[in-house]
Amino acid sequence: MSWDPDKKLKILVLNGSPRGKDSATMAVTNAFLEGLKAEANCEIEIIELSSLKIIPCLGCLSCWGRTEGECIIQNDDIPLMKQKIEDCDIFIESYPLYFFGMPGTMKVFTDRMLSMMCTYRGQKPPTNKESFHGIRNPHNNQRFVVISSCAYSETSQVFDSLSRQYDCICGQDKYEKIFVPQLKTLMELDHLKSRHEKFLSKFVLAGKEFAKAGVLSEETRVNLTKAPFSEATYKVLLANFWNEQKNGKDV
């Protein structure tokens, strides 16, 4: 899959980190965007989730029944966000892993996206890697990317529950996921700053690849999840990290 070279791609980024622009995950996301911009004509909008007014889902299921895709809550920023998502070519969610899942504010947002899913009519979980419900207004050329980071040594297991949730919502292999280990420690220890540019360069290359093909190769996916440090080295770095925190450094 590739985009029309004459088309300006509308890219919508939702920064779901409670830390806003200071999020280490956004450093990765910005590197990915840099690659996209280098290869495609892009119009990029970044929205801070913390700046939005979002009322939690009431669980009334009106959007599956009497209102057919419209949430009865209309006095917050979700209707505008839904329209922006439907209008964009690439939608990127960016946030750190919180206790093996998405941050609470991100979960509130995700709950409100229920109205974008088809009504549940008793179907069994799909066996062909499809969305459990199906997207109500699908766009064949639209792409969804999840970029999340953690401070764990590797992405194996710790992202399993998050992946499973997106598999049910979007369908397995129907979205691109970029899960990054050891990021918080790498980005926030002062003596490691010289390594930032080299580490982020692989995400720039990934953005270029995605701009050309609309997907990432398996080789690239593996490379993006590769930990920057060995297990032994990382244990030492973590010890330094927690020591700095105990000594009053704001981490």
Side-chain angles (χ1 to χ4, degrees):
M1 179 268 172
S2 60
W3 286 280
D4 181 346
D6 296 324
K7 173 183 173 62
K8 176 176 284 190
L9 294 180
K10 295 183 68 174
I11 302 174
L12 177 65
V13 181
L14 180 63
N15 179 10
S17 171
R19 300 185 68 179
K21 296 178 181 179
D22 293 329
S23 166
T25 312
M26 274 304 296
V28 170
T29 301
N30 285 328
F32 187 75
L33 291 173
E34 182 182 336
L36 282 171
K37 289 187 291 185
E39 294 294 335
N41 184 13
C42 300
E43 173 186 318
I44 300 174
E45 181 179 11
I46 300 176
I47 295 178
E48 303 292 330
L49 181 60
S50 59
S51 70
L52 299 179
K53 176 186 177 183
I54 301 177
I55 299 172
C57 176
L58 299 174
C60 67
L61 302 182
S62 293
C63 61
W64 279 357
R66 60 189 175 90
T67 60
E68 284 293 326
E70 290 298 326
C71 181
I72 63 169
I73 302 172
Q74 293 289 311
N75 59 335
D76 66 359
D77 290 321
I78 288 298
L80 176 61
M81 283 300 301
K82 283 179 58 179
Q83 190 60 57
K84 286 180 178 292
I85 292 171
E86 290 188 348
D87 291 343
C88 73
D89 298 295
I90 303 174
F91 179 43
I92 300 175
E93 290 184 350
S94 171
Y95 56 84
L97 186 74
Y98 269 36
F99 211 11
F100 309 108
M102 59 182 68
T105 49
M106 194 70 213
K107 181 60 168 66
V108 171
F109 171 83
T110 303
D111 287 347
R112 290 292 306 282
M113 294 297 102
L114 183 67
S115 61
M116 299 187 76
M117 310 303 294
C118 294
T119 303
Y120 176 65
R121 301 185 185 279
Q123 65 267 31
K124 293 182 179 180
T127 58
N128 58 349
K129 299 184 178 182
E130 296 296 324
S131 165
F132 194 104
H133 294 281
I135 308 299
R136 191 174 290 274
N137 297 307
H139 303 289
N140 291 333
N141 289 330
Q142 189 179 57
R143 290 294 180 264
F144 177 41
V145 182
V146 179
I147 301 178
S148 186
S149 68
C150 67
Y152 290 103
S153 296
E154 56 186 31
T155 60
S156 176
Q157 296 187 57
V158 296
F159 278 102
D160 286 357
S161 58
L162 187 64
S163 292
R164 182 55 183 154
Q165 182 171 8
Y166 281 112
D167 288 350
C168 288
I169 294 172
C170 305
Q172 190 177 350
D173 300 333
K174 303 296 182 181
Y175 65 102
E176 198 67 63
K177 54 188 176 185
I178 300 175
F179 294 155
V180 188
Q182 302 184 1
L183 185 67
K184 184 178 179 66
T185 309
L186 170 65
M187 299 301 289
E188 299 202 18
L189 283 174
D190 290 338
H191 67 281
L192 296 177
K193 287 183 177 179
S194 61
R195 300 191 58 160
H196 292 179
E197 185 175 348
K198 180 180 179 180
F199 177 76
L200 292 175
S201 64
K202 64 181 180 179
F203 298 98
V204 176
L205 293 176
K208 292 181 178 181
E209 180 181 326
F210 194 79
K212 293 177 181 178
V215 294
L216 297 177
S217 67
E218 187 58 31
E219 180 181 2
T220 296
R221 292 179 184 132
V222 171
N223 184 42
L224 295 182
T225 61
K226 185 178 180 181
F229 304 105
S230 68
E231 182 179 354
T233 299
Y234 193 56
K235 285 182 178 180
V236 174
L237 292 174
L238 279 177
N240 293 336
F241 179 85
W242 294 120
N243 186 56
E244 287 191 4
Q245 187 182 49
K246 290 178 181 178
N247 290 333
K249 184 180 185 295
D250 182 14
V251 296

